[in-house]
Amino acid sequence: MAKVIAIYPGSFDPPTNGHLDLIQRGSKIFDELVVAILRNPDKAPLFSVTERVAMLESLTGQYNNVRVDTFDGLTVDYAVRVGAVAVLRGIRALSDYEYELQMALMNRKLQPELETVFMMPAEKYSYLSSRLVREVAHLGGSVEGLVPELVEQNLKGKLDPAYKLSEFAELDEKGSGGRKSKGRKKS
Ligand code: PNS
């Protein structure tokens, strides 16, 4: 019997525990799941595509039916290229539904044979998004429990230089007799 292949497309900038939860669920129902990172030239990502591939490969290493790849162009064209019959997407809350429905129907218009399968991540991740993780991390908040430890470490590394610069600015202000700025304290 032919293998049932699905793609799980997205930006994954960065991968969150919600993504990992969905990958785990998807790996149970498809013979093969391809986590497909969009190479989007219009967006300036926090993590490069290479960094996201490395993170996702490391985070999905325990599943022997999951692989990580990148694509550009239309998702449906990529799905056809890898022989997928389904696109896996997560729906967290009602607010996701409209956008996801639009995408699923547009993909169906473009490629009627390709099905979109929606799965729900665990409720504890229902408010979680890569955008919020980036924002919280940027502003010095804790993302513990929201992303895998590897991603947490990489976020710290990625944001540290900006952080050091802000500390320099703070020192500079103090040195020149200026008022101490309210910068973040290094943890
Ligand atoms: O993680 P994201 O950013 O919500 O993923 C969105 C993604 C990558 C699935 C979507 O933007 C996409 O499919 N882009 C590829 C271009 C395409 O096929 N556009 C038409 C979709 S209806």
Side-chain angles (χ1 to χ4, degrees):
M1 241 173 62
K3 273 204 299 185
V4 180
I5 303 173
I7 61 165
Y8 178 29
S11 309
F12 305 102
D13 186 32
T16 67
N17 283 342
H19 292 130
L20 269 297
D21 180 287
L22 218 73
I23 290 169
Q24 186 191 27
R25 290 171 200 278
S27 75
K28 288 192 208 148
I29 64 165
F30 297 110
D31 295 325
E32 186 181 333
L33 183 65
V34 185
V35 180
I37 305 168
L38 176 68
R39 289 193 300 265
N40 189 348
D42 300 338
K43 264 193 188 173
L46 179 60
F47 288 99
S48 71
V49 170
T50 313
E51 289 169 324
R52 281 176 275 160
V53 169
M55 283 190 275
L56 279 164
E57 276 181 345
S58 160
L59 296 167
T60 59
Q62 74 267 40
Y63 307 111
N64 50 25
N65 64 339
V66 174
R67 67 184 179 89
V68 180
D69 195 8
T70 65
F71 76 104
D72 47 27
L74 286 175
T75 293
V76 293
D77 289 344
Y78 173 75
V80 169
R81 276 206 300 282
V82 298
V85 295
V87 176
L88 174 65
R89 291 287 291 172
I91 290 210
R92 293 160 297 191
L94 203 56
S95 50
D96 282 339
Y97 179 72
E98 209 167 325
Y99 170 63
E100 293 296 336
L101 178 75
Q102 254 185 333
M103 262 206 310
L105 292 179
M106 180 59 83
N107 284 339
R108 180 180 284 169
K109 166 89 176 72
L110 295 167
Q111 191 54 249
E113 295 299 304
L114 189 67
E115 292 297 338
T116 297
V117 174
F118 293 121
M119 294 185 90
M120 287 156 294
E123 310 88 274
K124 62 182 171 182
Y125 302 132
S126 61
Y127 63 93
L128 186 53
S129 71
S130 295
R131 186 184 62 78
L132 280 183
V133 165
R134 286 196 304 272
E135 187 171 320
V136 169
H138 259 301
L139 298 172
S142 167
V143 292
E144 196 186 330
L146 306 181
V147 294
E149 217 176 299
L150 167 73
V151 175
E152 203 183 332
Q153 291 311 317
N154 287 352
L155 272 167
K156 278 193 186 136
K158 177 78 48 185
L159 298 171
D160 228 20
Y163 187 53
K164 280 178 189 141
L165 271 179
S166 77
E167 283 201 320
F168 267 127
E170 191 173 283
L171 273 175
D172 201 34
E173 272 184 59
K174 276 201 279 183
S176 61
R179 222 158 46 93
K180 190 177 178 295
S181 78
K182 288 183 184 159
R184 288 178 305 169
K185 285 276 168 285
K186 194 164 188 167
S187 53

